[in-house]
Short mmCIF file of all heavy atoms in Angstrom, two decimals:
data_model
loop_
_atom_site.label_atom_id
_atom_site.label_comp_id
_atom_site.label_asym_id
_atom_site.label_seq_id
_atom_site.Cartn_x
_atom_site.Cartn_y
_atom_site.Cartn_z
N LEU A 749 -41.85 92.97 -28.02
CA LEU A 749 -40.92 93.31 -29.09
C LEU A 749 -40.40 94.74 -28.93
O LEU A 749 -39.22 95.00 -29.12
CB LEU A 749 -41.60 93.15 -30.45
CG LEU A 749 -40.74 93.36 -31.68
CD1 LEU A 749 -39.62 92.33 -31.73
CD2 LEU A 749 -41.58 93.27 -32.92
N PHE A 750 -41.30 95.67 -28.54
CA PHE A 750 -40.91 97.07 -28.41
C PHE A 750 -40.45 97.45 -27.01
O PHE A 750 -39.66 98.36 -26.84
CB PHE A 750 -42.08 97.98 -28.82
CG PHE A 750 -42.38 97.90 -30.28
CD1 PHE A 750 -43.54 97.31 -30.75
CD2 PHE A 750 -41.48 98.41 -31.21
CE1 PHE A 750 -43.81 97.23 -32.09
CE2 PHE A 750 -41.75 98.34 -32.57
CZ PHE A 750 -42.91 97.74 -33.01
N PHE A 751 -40.95 96.76 -26.01
CA PHE A 751 -40.63 97.11 -24.63
C PHE A 751 -39.92 95.93 -23.95
O PHE A 751 -40.43 95.33 -23.01
CB PHE A 751 -41.89 97.48 -23.85
CG PHE A 751 -42.64 98.63 -24.45
CD1 PHE A 751 -43.83 98.41 -25.13
CD2 PHE A 751 -42.14 99.91 -24.35
CE1 PHE A 751 -44.52 99.46 -25.70
CE2 PHE A 751 -42.83 100.97 -24.92
CZ PHE A 751 -44.03 100.75 -25.60
N LYS A 752 -38.75 95.61 -24.44
CA LYS A 752 -37.99 94.51 -23.88
C LYS A 752 -37.47 94.90 -22.50
O LYS A 752 -37.06 96.03 -22.28
CB LYS A 752 -36.80 94.15 -24.77
CG LYS A 752 -37.19 93.52 -26.06
CD LYS A 752 -35.95 93.14 -26.84
CE LYS A 752 -36.35 92.55 -28.18
NZ LYS A 752 -35.18 92.24 -29.00
N LYS A 753 -37.48 93.91 -21.61
CA LYS A 753 -36.91 94.15 -20.29
C LYS A 753 -35.40 94.08 -20.41
O LYS A 753 -34.87 93.18 -21.06
CB LYS A 753 -37.37 93.08 -19.30
CG LYS A 753 -38.82 93.21 -18.91
CD LYS A 753 -39.15 92.18 -17.86
CE LYS A 753 -40.58 92.29 -17.43
NZ LYS A 753 -40.92 91.30 -16.41
N LYS A 754 -34.75 95.03 -19.80
CA LYS A 754 -33.30 95.00 -19.80
C LYS A 754 -32.84 93.95 -18.79
O LYS A 754 -33.42 93.81 -17.72
CB LYS A 754 -32.72 96.35 -19.41
CG LYS A 754 -32.68 97.34 -20.53
CD LYS A 754 -31.84 98.52 -20.13
CE LYS A 754 -31.53 99.36 -21.33
NZ LYS A 754 -30.63 100.46 -21.00
N GLN A 755 -31.81 93.23 -19.16
CA GLN A 755 -31.27 92.24 -18.25
C GLN A 755 -30.45 92.97 -17.19
O GLN A 755 -29.60 93.81 -17.52
CB GLN A 755 -30.40 91.24 -19.01
CG GLN A 755 -30.04 90.04 -18.22
CD GLN A 755 -29.35 88.99 -19.07
OE1 GLN A 755 -28.93 89.27 -20.18
NE2 GLN A 755 -29.25 87.81 -18.55
N THR A 756 -30.71 92.67 -15.95
CA THR A 756 -30.01 93.35 -14.87
C THR A 756 -28.60 92.82 -14.74
O THR A 756 -28.28 91.72 -15.22
CB THR A 756 -30.75 93.15 -13.53
OG1 THR A 756 -30.74 91.76 -13.22
CG2 THR A 756 -32.18 93.67 -13.62
N SER A 757 -27.76 93.58 -14.08
CA SER A 757 -26.38 93.14 -13.92
C SER A 757 -26.32 91.91 -13.01
O SER A 757 -25.44 91.08 -13.16
CB SER A 757 -25.51 94.27 -13.35
OG SER A 757 -25.98 94.66 -12.08
N ALA A 758 -27.26 91.78 -12.09
CA ALA A 758 -27.29 90.60 -11.22
C ALA A 758 -27.58 89.34 -12.02
O ALA A 758 -26.93 88.30 -11.81
CB ALA A 758 -28.32 90.78 -10.12
N SER A 759 -28.51 89.40 -12.94
CA SER A 759 -28.82 88.21 -13.73
C SER A 759 -27.68 87.89 -14.70
O SER A 759 -27.39 86.73 -14.96
CB SER A 759 -30.14 88.38 -14.47
OG SER A 759 -30.07 89.44 -15.38
N THR A 760 -27.02 88.92 -15.21
CA THR A 760 -25.86 88.70 -16.08
C THR A 760 -24.74 88.04 -15.29
O THR A 760 -24.11 87.09 -15.75
CB THR A 760 -25.36 90.02 -16.68
OG1 THR A 760 -26.42 90.63 -17.41
CG2 THR A 760 -24.17 89.81 -17.59
N ALA A 761 -24.50 88.52 -14.08
CA ALA A 761 -23.46 87.93 -13.24
C ALA A 761 -23.80 86.49 -12.88
O ALA A 761 -22.93 85.62 -12.86
CB ALA A 761 -23.29 88.76 -11.97
N ARG A 762 -25.08 86.21 -12.61
CA ARG A 762 -25.50 84.85 -12.29
C ARG A 762 -25.26 83.92 -13.47
O ARG A 762 -24.75 82.81 -13.32
CB ARG A 762 -26.99 84.84 -11.91
CG ARG A 762 -27.46 83.44 -11.48
CD ARG A 762 -28.96 83.34 -11.36
NE ARG A 762 -29.51 83.40 -12.72
CZ ARG A 762 -30.50 84.17 -13.11
NH1 ARG A 762 -31.10 84.97 -12.25
NH2 ARG A 762 -30.92 84.16 -14.35
N ASP A 763 -25.59 84.37 -14.68
CA ASP A 763 -25.38 83.57 -15.87
C ASP A 763 -23.90 83.28 -16.08
O ASP A 763 -23.51 82.15 -16.41
CB ASP A 763 -25.95 84.26 -17.10
CG ASP A 763 -27.47 84.36 -17.06
OD1 ASP A 763 -28.10 83.62 -16.27
OD2 ASP A 763 -28.02 85.19 -17.82
N ARG A 764 -23.08 84.28 -15.89
CA ARG A 764 -21.64 84.08 -16.06
C ARG A 764 -21.09 83.13 -15.01
O ARG A 764 -20.23 82.30 -15.30
CB ARG A 764 -20.92 85.43 -15.99
CG ARG A 764 -21.19 86.29 -17.20
CD ARG A 764 -20.49 87.62 -17.09
NE ARG A 764 -20.79 88.45 -18.26
CZ ARG A 764 -20.50 89.73 -18.35
NH1 ARG A 764 -19.89 90.34 -17.35
NH2 ARG A 764 -20.79 90.40 -19.43
N LEU A 765 -21.56 83.25 -13.78
CA LEU A 765 -21.12 82.36 -12.71
C LEU A 765 -21.51 80.92 -12.99
O LEU A 765 -20.73 79.99 -12.74
CB LEU A 765 -21.70 82.83 -11.37
CG LEU A 765 -21.27 82.06 -10.14
CD1 LEU A 765 -19.76 82.10 -9.97
CD2 LEU A 765 -21.95 82.61 -8.90
N GLN A 766 -22.69 80.71 -13.54
CA GLN A 766 -23.12 79.35 -13.88
C GLN A 766 -22.22 78.75 -14.95
O GLN A 766 -21.88 77.56 -14.90
CB GLN A 766 -24.57 79.36 -14.36
CG GLN A 766 -25.57 79.57 -13.24
CD GLN A 766 -27.00 79.68 -13.76
OE1 GLN A 766 -27.23 79.93 -14.93
NE2 GLN A 766 -27.95 79.48 -12.86
N ILE A 767 -21.78 79.55 -15.90
CA ILE A 767 -20.88 79.06 -16.94
C ILE A 767 -19.52 78.70 -16.34
O ILE A 767 -18.95 77.64 -16.64
CB ILE A 767 -20.71 80.12 -18.05
CG1 ILE A 767 -22.02 80.28 -18.81
CG2 ILE A 767 -19.56 79.76 -19.00
CD1 ILE A 767 -22.05 81.45 -19.76
N ILE A 768 -19.01 79.53 -15.44
CA ILE A 768 -17.73 79.26 -14.79
C ILE A 768 -17.80 77.99 -13.96
O ILE A 768 -16.90 77.14 -14.01
CB ILE A 768 -17.30 80.47 -13.93
CG1 ILE A 768 -16.94 81.65 -14.84
CG2 ILE A 768 -16.13 80.10 -13.03
CD1 ILE A 768 -16.74 82.95 -14.11
N ILE A 769 -18.88 77.82 -13.21
CA ILE A 769 -19.04 76.62 -12.38
C ILE A 769 -19.12 75.37 -13.24
O ILE A 769 -18.51 74.35 -12.93
CB ILE A 769 -20.28 76.76 -11.47
CG1 ILE A 769 -20.02 77.82 -10.40
CG2 ILE A 769 -20.64 75.43 -10.83
CD1 ILE A 769 -21.24 78.19 -9.59
N ALA A 770 -19.82 75.44 -14.35
CA ALA A 770 -19.92 74.29 -15.25
C ALA A 770 -18.55 73.93 -15.82
O ALA A 770 -18.21 72.74 -15.92
CB ALA A 770 -20.90 74.60 -16.37
N GLN A 771 -17.75 74.91 -16.17
CA GLN A 771 -16.41 74.65 -16.71
C GLN A 771 -15.51 74.03 -15.65
O GLN A 771 -14.73 73.12 -15.93
CB GLN A 771 -15.78 75.93 -17.23
CG GLN A 771 -16.39 76.42 -18.52
CD GLN A 771 -15.82 77.76 -18.96
OE1 GLN A 771 -15.22 78.49 -18.17
NE2 GLN A 771 -16.02 78.09 -20.22
N GLU A 772 -15.62 74.50 -14.41
CA GLU A 772 -14.80 73.95 -13.33
C GLU A 772 -15.20 72.51 -13.01
O GLU A 772 -14.35 71.68 -12.68
CB GLU A 772 -14.89 74.82 -12.08
CG GLU A 772 -14.13 76.12 -12.22
CD GLU A 772 -14.21 76.98 -10.97
OE1 GLU A 772 -14.86 76.57 -9.99
OE2 GLU A 772 -13.62 78.07 -10.99
N ARG A 773 -16.46 72.19 -13.12
CA ARG A 773 -16.90 70.81 -12.89
C ARG A 773 -16.32 69.87 -13.93
O ARG A 773 -15.92 68.76 -13.63
CB ARG A 773 -18.42 70.73 -12.90
CG ARG A 773 -19.06 71.25 -11.66
CD ARG A 773 -20.55 71.10 -11.70
NE ARG A 773 -21.15 71.69 -10.53
CZ ARG A 773 -22.41 72.02 -10.43
NH1 ARG A 773 -23.22 71.83 -11.46
NH2 ARG A 773 -22.88 72.55 -9.32
N VAL A 774 -16.26 70.32 -15.17
CA VAL A 774 -15.70 69.49 -16.23
C VAL A 774 -14.21 69.29 -15.99
O VAL A 774 -13.69 68.18 -16.12
CB VAL A 774 -15.94 70.14 -17.62
CG1 VAL A 774 -15.14 69.45 -18.70
CG2 VAL A 774 -17.42 70.10 -17.95
N GLN A 775 -13.50 70.34 -15.61
CA GLN A 775 -12.07 70.23 -15.36
C GLN A 775 -11.78 69.40 -14.12
O GLN A 775 -10.76 68.72 -14.06
CB GLN A 775 -11.45 71.62 -15.21
CG GLN A 775 -11.41 72.39 -16.50
CD GLN A 775 -10.91 73.81 -16.32
OE1 GLN A 775 -10.67 74.26 -15.20
NE2 GLN A 775 -10.76 74.52 -17.42
N ALA A 776 -12.67 69.42 -13.14
CA ALA A 776 -12.46 68.66 -11.91
C ALA A 776 -12.60 67.16 -12.14
O ALA A 776 -12.10 66.36 -11.36
CB ALA A 776 -13.44 69.12 -10.84
N GLN A 777 -13.25 66.75 -13.22
CA GLN A 777 -13.46 65.34 -13.49
C GLN A 777 -12.23 64.69 -14.12
O GLN A 777 -12.15 63.47 -14.17
CB GLN A 777 -14.67 65.15 -14.42
CG GLN A 777 -15.96 65.52 -13.75
CD GLN A 777 -17.13 65.42 -14.70
OE1 GLN A 777 -16.97 65.16 -15.87
NE2 GLN A 777 -18.32 65.64 -14.19
N VAL A 778 -11.27 65.47 -14.58
CA VAL A 778 -10.05 64.91 -15.16
C VAL A 778 -9.12 64.52 -14.03
O VAL A 778 -8.80 65.34 -13.18
CB VAL A 778 -9.37 65.93 -16.10
CG1 VAL A 778 -8.05 65.42 -16.61
CG2 VAL A 778 -10.30 66.30 -17.23
N PRO A 779 -8.69 63.28 -13.98
CA PRO A 779 -7.80 62.85 -12.90
C PRO A 779 -6.48 63.61 -12.92
O PRO A 779 -5.93 63.89 -13.99
CB PRO A 779 -7.56 61.37 -13.18
CG PRO A 779 -8.63 60.96 -14.12
CD PRO A 779 -9.04 62.19 -14.86
N ASP A 780 -5.97 63.94 -11.76
CA ASP A 780 -4.73 64.72 -11.68
C ASP A 780 -3.48 63.86 -11.84
O ASP A 780 -2.38 64.37 -11.94
CB ASP A 780 -4.67 65.49 -10.36
CG ASP A 780 -4.74 64.58 -9.15
OD1 ASP A 780 -5.06 63.39 -9.30
OD2 ASP A 780 -4.45 65.06 -8.04
N TYR A 781 -3.62 62.54 -11.88
CA TYR A 781 -2.46 61.67 -12.01
C TYR A 781 -2.03 61.44 -13.45
O TYR A 781 -0.98 60.85 -13.70
CB TYR A 781 -2.73 60.32 -11.35
CG TYR A 781 -3.89 59.55 -11.94
CD1 TYR A 781 -3.74 58.80 -13.09
CD2 TYR A 781 -5.14 59.59 -11.34
CE1 TYR A 781 -4.80 58.10 -13.63
CE2 TYR A 781 -6.20 58.88 -11.87
CZ TYR A 781 -6.03 58.15 -13.01
OH TYR A 781 -7.09 57.47 -13.54
N LEU A 782 -2.80 61.89 -14.42
CA LEU A 782 -2.46 61.63 -15.82
C LEU A 782 -1.12 62.24 -16.25
O LEU A 782 -0.34 61.56 -16.91
CB LEU A 782 -3.58 62.07 -16.74
CG LEU A 782 -4.86 61.24 -16.66
CD1 LEU A 782 -5.88 61.74 -17.66
CD2 LEU A 782 -4.59 59.78 -16.89
N PRO A 783 -0.80 63.48 -15.91
CA PRO A 783 0.52 64.01 -16.30
C PRO A 783 1.67 63.23 -15.66
O PRO A 783 2.69 62.96 -16.31
CB PRO A 783 0.50 65.46 -15.82
CG PRO A 783 -0.94 65.81 -15.71
CD PRO A 783 -1.64 64.54 -15.34
N THR A 784 1.50 62.82 -14.41
CA THR A 784 2.52 62.03 -13.74
C THR A 784 2.67 60.67 -14.40
O THR A 784 3.79 60.18 -14.62
CB THR A 784 2.18 61.85 -12.25
OG1 THR A 784 1.99 63.13 -11.66
CG2 THR A 784 3.27 61.11 -11.52
N LEU A 785 1.55 60.05 -14.74
CA LEU A 785 1.57 58.76 -15.41
C LEU A 785 2.30 58.86 -16.75
O LEU A 785 3.13 58.01 -17.09
CB LEU A 785 0.15 58.25 -15.61
CG LEU A 785 -0.02 56.93 -16.35
CD1 LEU A 785 0.61 55.79 -15.58
CD2 LEU A 785 -1.50 56.65 -16.58
N GLN A 786 2.03 59.90 -17.50
CA GLN A 786 2.67 60.09 -18.79
C GLN A 786 4.18 60.27 -18.62
O GLN A 786 4.97 59.68 -19.37
CB GLN A 786 2.06 61.28 -19.52
CG GLN A 786 2.59 61.45 -20.93
CD GLN A 786 1.85 62.51 -21.70
OE1 GLN A 786 1.00 63.20 -21.16
NE2 GLN A 786 2.17 62.64 -22.96
N ARG A 787 4.59 61.05 -17.65
CA ARG A 787 6.02 61.29 -17.42
C ARG A 787 6.73 60.00 -17.00
O ARG A 787 7.82 59.68 -17.48
CB ARG A 787 6.19 62.38 -16.35
CG ARG A 787 7.61 62.84 -16.15
CD ARG A 787 7.73 64.04 -15.22
NE ARG A 787 7.07 63.82 -13.94
CZ ARG A 787 5.92 64.41 -13.55
NH1 ARG A 787 5.30 65.25 -14.36
NH2 ARG A 787 5.39 64.17 -12.37
N GLU A 788 6.09 59.21 -16.12
CA GLU A 788 6.69 57.97 -15.67
C GLU A 788 6.78 56.94 -16.81
O GLU A 788 7.77 56.21 -16.93
CB GLU A 788 5.92 57.40 -14.49
CG GLU A 788 6.11 58.21 -13.23
CD GLU A 788 5.28 57.70 -12.06
OE1 GLU A 788 4.50 56.74 -12.23
OE2 GLU A 788 5.42 58.27 -10.97
N LEU A 789 5.75 56.89 -17.65
CA LEU A 789 5.81 56.00 -18.80
C LEU A 789 6.95 56.39 -19.75
O LEU A 789 7.66 55.54 -20.28
CB LEU A 789 4.48 56.02 -19.56
CG LEU A 789 3.35 55.22 -18.95
CD1 LEU A 789 2.05 55.54 -19.65
CD2 LEU A 789 3.65 53.74 -19.03
N LEU A 790 7.12 57.67 -19.94
CA LEU A 790 8.19 58.15 -20.80
C LEU A 790 9.55 57.76 -20.22
O LEU A 790 10.44 57.33 -20.95
CB LEU A 790 8.10 59.67 -20.97
CG LEU A 790 9.15 60.33 -21.84
CD1 LEU A 790 9.03 59.83 -23.28
CD2 LEU A 790 9.01 61.83 -21.80
N ASP A 791 9.71 57.88 -18.91
CA ASP A 791 10.97 57.52 -18.27
C ASP A 791 11.29 56.03 -18.46
O ASP A 791 12.42 55.66 -18.79
CB ASP A 791 10.94 57.84 -16.77
CG ASP A 791 10.93 59.34 -16.50
OD1 ASP A 791 11.27 60.12 -17.41
OD2 ASP A 791 10.55 59.73 -15.37
N VAL A 792 10.28 55.19 -18.26
CA VAL A 792 10.49 53.74 -18.39
C VAL A 792 10.77 53.36 -19.85
O VAL A 792 11.70 52.61 -20.14
CB VAL A 792 9.28 52.96 -17.84
CG1 VAL A 792 9.38 51.49 -18.18
CG2 VAL A 792 9.15 53.16 -16.35
N LEU A 793 9.98 53.87 -20.76
CA LEU A 793 10.16 53.52 -22.17
C LEU A 793 11.48 54.06 -22.73
O LEU A 793 12.07 53.46 -23.62
CB LEU A 793 8.98 54.03 -23.00
CG LEU A 793 7.66 53.31 -22.75
CD1 LEU A 793 6.52 54.04 -23.44
CD2 LEU A 793 7.74 51.88 -23.23
N SER A 794 11.94 55.19 -22.20
CA SER A 794 13.19 55.78 -22.67
C SER A 794 14.38 54.89 -22.38
O SER A 794 15.42 55.02 -23.02
CB SER A 794 13.40 57.15 -22.04
OG SER A 794 12.42 58.05 -22.47
#
């Protein structure tokens, strides 16, 4: 409680990198054809 270890900049950077990697994995799972599909559907329905 009184003598807390300070978090090093390396561990802070590692934590931040893990968060970035997790976010990129989620974004990579979204298919890239969805915007094209939506645009083509709009063209046909129009």
Side-chain angles (χ1 to χ4, degrees):
L749 185 62
F750 292 110
F751 301 106
K752 290 183 182 177
K753 289 184 179 180
K754 280 192 167 184
Q755 192 172 14
T756 63
S757 61
S759 63
T760 302
R762 183 191 71 228
D763 293 343
R764 289 179 181 169
L765 183 59
Q766 287 176 341
I767 292 170
I768 291 170
I769 290 171
Q771 288 175 341
E772 287 181 0
R773 284 182 183 161
V774 169
Q775 290 175 355
Q777 293 176 355
V778 175
D780 59 347
Y781 60 82
L782 290 182
T784 305
L785 178 64
Q786 185 172 6
R787 188 173 53 252
E788 289 177 357
L789 283 169
L790 180 64
D791 291 343
V792 170
L793 290 171
S794 294

